Each structure stands twice: as C-alpha cells, then as structure tokens.
Amino acid sequence: MPLSVHGLRKSFNGRTVLEGVDFSVAAGELVAFLGANGSGKSTTLRCVMGITAPDSGSISIDGTALETLQGRDLQQVRQRMAMIFQKIHLVPRRTALDNVCAGALSRIPTVRSLSPLLFPADVQQEALDCLDRVGLADRALDRVGRLSGGQQQRVAVARALCQRADVVLADEPVSALDPHAAEQVMALLRELAHAEGLAVAAVLHQPDLALRYADRSIGLLQGSMTFDLPSTEITADHLDTLYAPDRDVSDRKSAA
Amino acid sequence: MTPQILTPAVARRSPSAQTRVALVRPKKPLRWITTAAVAAVVVGLHAVAIEGTDFKPALLVDGWKGMAAFIGDAFPPDLSWEKTIRPGLEATLVTLWIGLLGTTLSVPFALLLAALAAENTSPHRLVYQAARSVLSFFRAVPDIVFALIFVTAVGLGPFAGVLALICHNTGVMGKLWAESMEEIDSGPQEALRTAGANRIQQVANATLPMVVPQFVGLLLYRFDVNVRSSLVLGLVGAGGIGLLINQSIKSFQFDSMLTHILIVLVLIIVVDQFSAWIRRRLAA
Ligand SMILES: Nc1ncnc2c1ncn2[C@@H]1O[C@H](COP(=O)(O)OP(=O)(O)O)[C@@H](O)[C@H]1O
Ligand SMILES: [Mg+2]
C-alpha cells in the first residue's frame, strides 16, 4: 500500500479531534473523505503530511513506517506525498511553468533555485510535461494570476506531479471552484489515480462528487470513522449520520 | 402538542417577551477622578514644555519687521542664469542623485536584514532578534547624524550624504519590508515546505515574489522621502542644493536663496508625482 495509517490520534488543548483513525489508500485509487465541518478531515491530512504532529498513530509509505525514520531519510520518504490545498497556494505573479518547477525544488541545488531564470533546463522540461498531463501546456508562460480558479488548481496538481509524488492528498480541492471547474479537477484527480497509478485522497465537501468520482469513501464523525466503503455502497443513511449532528443542533435552536 | 416554532414576530407578541432584559452597567464612581487626573497630567506636561521651549508667541509679533525685511530682500528672486539658476539646477541634480543612490544602494542590506527580521522567513529566533536590533539602531540614528559623522570621514560633499542615507534608509526600509513580509499570505510558503523545499528556496520562490508589489511601493515612498532628506543633509555640508541654500543665506544673497528654494519646490513636486504615478500603476 502506498499509504496506510493506523490509530491516528490528535487533540488540541485537551480536546480530542481524532480518536483513532485507520485507513489506507492503494495505488490507482481515489479515496474521498466526507464529514461535517470540524469532524477532523483536514487534521487527518495535515497529520499524514507532517504539517501537524499527531499525538500517536502510525503512518506508512509503501510499508515503511515514518516514525522509524529520521532526518534526510524521513524527508525523502515524505517527498513522495504532495498536498493540494483549497486555497491553491500558488504564486500569482509567477508563470504556471515557474510555479510547477517549484514542486521540484528539493531536487534543485539552492543556488540554482534563487530565481526561475536559474532553474535547470531538465526541470523546466519536466514541469512542462507535468503541465501537459493536466492539459495546460499551452498556458505554461501565462502568469498564474491570469488563469481561472479551475486552471490554477490544475497547475497546483501539476506542481504535485513535478514533485514526483505518488501519494496526493487534497484538502477540499474543489470547494472554491465553480461546478464546471470542480468536475474538471475531480476528473483529473481520478485520471491520475486510474491511468497513472497514483494514490489519491481528497476531502470533499459535496457527497455527490465523492459518489461519482471516488472509488471509496470514508466518513468521519467527530474524529471517528463511521464507514469506509466502496462509493457504490454508500447510502443516504450513511450520509445522514455524518451530517445529522449539524441538523440536530439547528433543530434544537429553532424549536427552543 | 407540536412544538411551537418561535419566529421573531411571535416572540415580540408573546407574554414572556414583556419581562425585558435590563442592561446593567457596573457603577464606576472613580471614573471621573481618573479622567480629571489624566487631564491634569496632560495640562501640566504642556506647561513644562512651553517653559522648556521658550514658547513666546509675542516674540513672533515683535519680530515681524525682521521677517518682512528678510522676505523683502529675497524678492524679486535672482533669475540670472550663470550666477544662480545654472548652479542651482546642477546642485538640484546632485541632490536627486544623492536621494537615488541612498535609496537603491541600501536595497541589498535592507533586503537581507528584512528577510532575517521577519518572523516567517527568519532562520532562527536569535537571528530574528539580532536583525531587529540592527534595524532599530539604523532607524533610530537620524540621517543627519550619520551625515555629520561621514562628513568628518570623507569630507564635505555628496558622497557623505549618500553614505548617510544608505545607513538610515536600510533601517527604515528593512523594517517596513520585514513587516510587509509578515503580513503576506503564508500559504504558498507552506505549500513549498510540504514539497520539501528548504528555507531559502521557500523565501526565494514564494515569500519574496508574493511581496514584490509592496516592496516596490515602499521603495518609491522611501525614494521620495530620501530626496527631501538629502536637501536637509546638504545644509550640514553633504552637497547638493541644500549646501547652496546654506551658502546663499550665509552670504546674505536672499534673492538667490529664493530662486534655489523655488527650484527645490519643483523637484519635490516632480518626484512626488512620479512615485505616485508608479504606485498607482502597481496597484492597478
Ligand atoms: N491548530 C489547531 N488548534 C486548535 N484546534 C484546532 C486546530 N486545528 C484544528 N482544530 C480543531 O480541530 C477540529 C477539527 O478541525 P478540522 O480537521 O479542520 O476539521 P474539518 O477539516 O473536518 O472541517 C475543529 O474543531 C478545529 O477547531
Ligand atoms: Mg477542513
């Protein structure tokens, strides 16, 4: 398994946010995370990426547990995971190509990464190939700020590809996009999984996107997993349990 | 019984709404005493300050004749080309060059110190504190003091002015740049960190390109300020039109002085309009 996670726990200031999350993502698979706001979806991804330190739990990449590694070795294994953000986090003033090249920074000597003019030619070629894979080779020299939201998110995916990641974690990659662009980006993520064998996990705000694009969906409810099923087996009841607490609260408020 | 849903309109009419919520302000009997004490202290400070600065408006009234004579001597301005206007224009150019070099030559130092003095780009807490202290020092020492020091080192003339501006401007611009870096969206930097980029790579490829517009705006603002400062630096011997104005006052050539001041006025308006124009274009 490219990515497997066991017993992930995390609390902030004594408040438990994740109470033992277990899941794995296989090569060639797109897995969706569903859950109400605050259920711990982002925290799960951030713990896996190492942005947030989990209290306990084990994270393995291709069977190698990260907690057994240190320093350079740990960094090299982490390198194989890339993150896609809801807010995209590209540099708007730079070209799409320069932004994608930045995914390869860990392979570029520091002096040659001080300016895009110094980026090695082979990195630039690889970045262009990555842009081609997301269908944006023709916009390579456009500033990212001039691209649409959907195009920007595809550039961010290309940056993850240029990082040579084989595990891609996406936190609400399409929540800020219009419906058409959202479909495009979801189709791209599915294609990267199915056609190129990447392991992709995406937090999704809209269950219908998960049901249509994801091979498997995982439900999180207040830091615990309520289901981990092929998307075809997800029923309205499953979804109700996830989003019901929200409705309970609002019912109580209006009836009081 | 079905639970009744309370809409705001229902709530207003329902009997329970008649038990109204009262706003209870805690009584603070000491408040007016505090206010009076603060007022007394402020008034007292001003009294001491007026005493300490020999602030006597009457002197201004008595001395109006002297001022009138001074201004009378200055009119009409001396418009002779060889004696006044040409040297004035040449010296004004020198003033402009002092302001320009003082601004641009401080860029490398300001950039380095800003990167070390911004929380999100500094490599270490100690480096951060050290860089902040260096910037504070250069900011706290006025450019005119630097000018006096450099005049003793390199002699009277524009070079001392350039050196003085480099020092002071490094402190001010470094601080302003560090602050704008701290305010920038940290997302792109975090994205590159998760991609395995090291600190320098993160700064060079996310933080710096994100703040370029702010940096250029602040640079132009400082250029504007520095051109005006270099006028004053001229008065203490650091070259340019300020030196000329000083000389014409000392030799009682007030009509030349007025001409020089008018030239300065034009310079300041031009520089101000120029930097405002560029900043507008940047914002668009
Ligand atoms: N850095 C943090 N400090 C304190 N609490 C946090 C932090 N990050 C997340 N939380 C809390 O953890 C819970 C889960 O957050 P998150 O994982 O972002 O939820 P989701 O992405 O599912 O909406 C929320 O209640 C949130 O307030
Ligand atoms: Mg979230």
Side-chain angles (χ1 to χ4, degrees):
Chain A
M1 279 294 174
L3 174 66
S4 57
V5 174
H6 289 290
L8 197 62
R9 292 178 176 279
K10 178 70 187 171
S11 56
F12 290 107
N13 313 319
R15 200 167 58 87
T16 303
V17 168
L18 296 180
E19 25 198 338
V21 172
D22 305 86
F23 67 94
S24 55
V25 187
E29 188 182 35
L30 171 57
V31 175
F33 278 89
L34 296 173
N37 281 335
S39 56
K41 308 180 296 292
S42 298
T43 305
T44 303
L45 294 199
R46 293 172 70 85
C47 284
V48 173
M49 280 304 291
I51 302 172
T52 301
D55 296 341
S56 64
S58 160
I59 298 157
S60 311
I61 305 288
D62 267 339
T64 313
L66 294 186
E67 55 272 17
T68 62
L69 300 176
Q70 274 184 344
R72 185 107 199 101
D73 293 339
L74 176 61
Q75 209 206 327
Q76 256 168 11
V77 175
R78 280 210 182 288
Q79 212 64 75
R80 299 183 41 201
M81 294 189 287
M83 183 108 169
I84 308 281
F85 303 85
Q86 177 182 353
K87 291 188 179 160
I88 300 171
H89 293 341
L90 297 169
V91 178
R93 298 176 57 82
R94 286 211 170 162
T95 64
L97 189 73
D98 292 345
N99 270 284
V100 175
C101 285
L105 281 174
S106 66
R107 305 197 295 277
I108 306 178
T110 302
V111 280
R112 298 208 62 173
S113 48
L114 292 179
S115 157
L117 297 172
L118 303 173
F119 289 161
D122 58 327
V123 169
Q124 300 199 32
Q125 182 58 53
E126 185 172 345
L128 187 60
D129 293 342
C130 294
L131 274 172
D132 195 30
R133 281 153 77 189
V134 303
L136 286 172
D138 56 328
R139 309 302 299 271
L141 298 180
D142 286 0
R143 280 186 181 196
V144 159
R146 312 191 60 170
L147 303 180
S148 71
Q151 290 169 332
Q152 291 186 17
Q153 195 58 290
R154 281 151 65 199
V155 172
V157 172
R159 179 169 67 182
L161 295 174
C162 199
Q163 189 187 324
R164 298 184 183 159
D166 37 30
V167 177
V168 173
L169 305 178
D171 193 356
E172 304 205 22
V174 300
S175 298
L177 306 181
D178 66 61
H180 176 69
E183 300 283 338
Q184 268 193 328
V185 169
M186 286 312 303
L188 172 64
L189 290 177
R190 181 174 60 186
E191 187 192 315
L192 290 177
H194 291 181
E196 306 201 11
L198 270 63
V200 184
V203 171
L204 295 176
H205 205 61
Q206 303 108 307
D208 71 295
L209 282 181
L211 301 190
R212 280 188 292 126
Y213 287 99
D215 302 302
R216 206 146 48 82
S217 293
I218 294 174
L220 270 182
L221 177 62
Q222 292 169 6
S224 303
M225 286 171 53
T226 55
F227 59 81
D228 178 353
L229 292 168
S231 297
T232 47
E233 295 174 22
I234 308 274
T235 64
D237 282 348
H238 286 117
L239 297 176
D240 276 351
T241 52
L242 287 189
Y243 302 106
D246 256 0
R247 216 169 40 218
D248 268 352
V249 172
S250 55
D251 279 354
R252 250 180 274 131
K253 267 188 193 148
S254 57
Chain B
M1 207 176 100
T2 55
Q4 189 197 1
I5 310 260
L6 283 187
T7 64
V10 174
R12 237 177 282 128
R13 267 183 271 115
S14 71
S16 67
Q18 284 170 1
T19 52
R20 311 189 72 170
V21 186
L23 181 63
V24 185
R25 280 187 204 279
K27 289 220 170 73
K28 288 189 184 154
L30 287 181
R31 178 173 280 177
W32 70 269
I33 297 182
T34 326
T35 310
V38 169
V41 168
V42 169
V43 168
L45 283 176
H46 278 75
V48 176
I50 283 172
E51 184 67 28
T53 55
D54 290 334
F55 191 85
K56 298 191 187 99
L59 286 180
L60 198 57
V61 178
D62 292 344
W64 75 271
K65 271 190 194 139
M67 283 210 308
F70 178 76
I71 292 170
D73 280 350
F75 276 99
D78 178 8
L79 296 181
S80 65
W81 173 256
E82 276 304 322
K83 181 174 158 277
T84 305
I85 296 187
R86 205 172 68 131
L89 288 176
E90 280 167 4
T92 301
L93 264 188
V94 171
T95 293
L96 187 65
W97 300 150
I98 296 174
L100 181 70
L101 290 183
T103 311
T104 52
L105 296 185
S106 64
V107 166
F109 306 109
L111 194 60
L112 180 67
L113 285 165
L116 299 179
E119 263 173 341
N120 48 344
T121 57
S122 185
H124 192 273
R125 196 74 210 165
L126 285 177
V127 178
Y128 166 84
Q129 293 293 357
R132 290 251 140 177
S133 312
V134 172
L135 287 176
S136 300
F137 170 75
F138 283 113
R139 208 169 55 250
V141 178
D143 40 18
I144 199 148
V145 172
F146 279 122
L148 288 169
I149 295 170
F150 284 121
V151 163
T152 63
V154 303
L156 289 176
F159 184 45
V162 173
L163 293 177
L165 281 186
I166 291 175
C167 289
H168 184 67
N169 193 57
T170 296
V172 180
M173 204 158 69
K175 168 90 181 316
L176 294 172
W177 280 1
E179 276 171 0
S180 64
M181 280 209 276
E182 284 177 350
E183 279 161 21
I184 209 72
D185 171 20
S186 62
Q189 197 185 341
E190 182 176 287
L192 294 194
R193 186 168 61 242
T194 63
N198 66 36
R199 192 81 171 189
I200 294 175
Q201 292 174 325
Q202 292 163 32
V203 174
N205 291 285
T207 324
L208 281 181
M210 295 282 291
V211 290
V212 164
Q214 286 90 326
F215 272 27
V216 175
L218 291 167
L219 185 74
L220 285 165
Y221 159 71
R222 288 306 302 172
F223 171 60
D224 194 353
V225 172
N226 285 336
V227 169
R228 267 174 278 173
S229 296
S230 75
L231 283 168
V232 181
L233 297 186
L235 292 175
V236 300
I241 186 82
L243 188 60
L244 229 54
I245 292 177
N246 197 11
Q247 283 167 356
S248 46
I249 292 178
K250 280 186 176 151
S251 55
F252 301 102
Q253 291 171 326
F254 299 128
D255 51 351
S256 296
M257 177 206 71
L258 182 59
T259 310
H260 293 151
I261 288 178
L262 291 175
I263 294 174
V264 164
L265 203 66
V266 173
L267 170 74
I268 285 180
I269 291 172
V270 168
V271 168
D272 186 68
Q273 291 297 312
F274 167 77
S275 80
W277 178 72
I278 299 220
R279 272 184 275 167
R280 261 200 312 277
R281 307 229 24 194
L282 274 176

